[in-house]
Amino acid sequence: MNSSRPYLIRALYEWIVDNQCTPHLLVNAEFPKVQVPPGYAADGQIVLNVSPSAVRHMHMDNEAVSFEGRFGGVAHSLFIPAAAVLAIYARENGQGMVFDLEPTSAPGEEPADDGDGPDDEPPRPSGRPSLKVVK
């Protein structure tokens, strides 16, 4: 089954813009294939204003978010794989969604075999599941 992350990113982006708020992406700048301007990331992360007035040539699909943005007055092409997006939220009120970390293996690569057989099931999480309401 495909990841729901790119669908949620697109939906939340549209929702934030429709409500006249400023969408921001929190991105793992160290994720493979991420292209952001050097020197702007802190602690391996970067926050990007992706409002329609701040970017050009915005394209979102199931693989990545790409656009042209200005940093220090200089235009840069940015490429953010969907798995590198850690959160999308509205600057004005913080409403949005935080995503779980994804493994950093490249698409199409199989994770390393740990020697367990295919019949082994992963351990079940303990405790109660929790959901957060986004208004």
Side-chain angles (χ1 to χ4, degrees):
M1 182 174 250
N2 292 336
S3 170
S4 62
R5 184 181 304 229
Y7 300 93
L8 293 169
I9 293 168
R10 290 192 302 269
L12 287 166
Y13 176 86
E14 187 173 324
W15 174 72
I16 292 167
V17 171
D18 284 351
N19 284 284
Q20 289 80 44
C21 290
T22 309
H24 279 71
L25 293 179
L26 175 63
V27 175
N28 177 356
E30 297 173 346
F31 197 87
K33 298 186 181 181
V34 167
Q35 295 174 1
V36 295
Y40 288 93
D43 297 326
Q45 298 180 346
I46 187 169
V47 175
L48 302 168
N49 175 350
V50 290
S51 68
S53 62
V55 301
R56 295 179 57 186
H57 310 298
M58 173 73 101
H59 180 74
M60 291 189 220
D61 62 22
N62 291 348
E63 303 303 318
V65 176
S66 60
F67 56 91
E68 185 179 285
R70 298 185 75 78
F71 291 80
V74 178
H76 292 272
S77 292
L78 287 83
F79 181 84
I80 297 105
V85 176
L86 301 174
I88 181 168
Y89 62 94
R91 177 181 66 195
E92 291 79 3
N93 57 22
Q95 291 188 0
M97 182 176 282
V98 177
F99 299 102
D100 290 333
L101 291 175
E102 296 233 351
T104 57
S105 63
E109 285 184 12
E110 292 294 321
D113 186 11
D114 59 4
D116 291 339
D119 296 330
D120 293 337
E121 291 186 19
R124 296 187 67 131
S126 61
R128 293 183 60 190
S130 63
L131 296 174
K132 182 185 280 187
V133 176
V134 177
K135 294 184 181 184

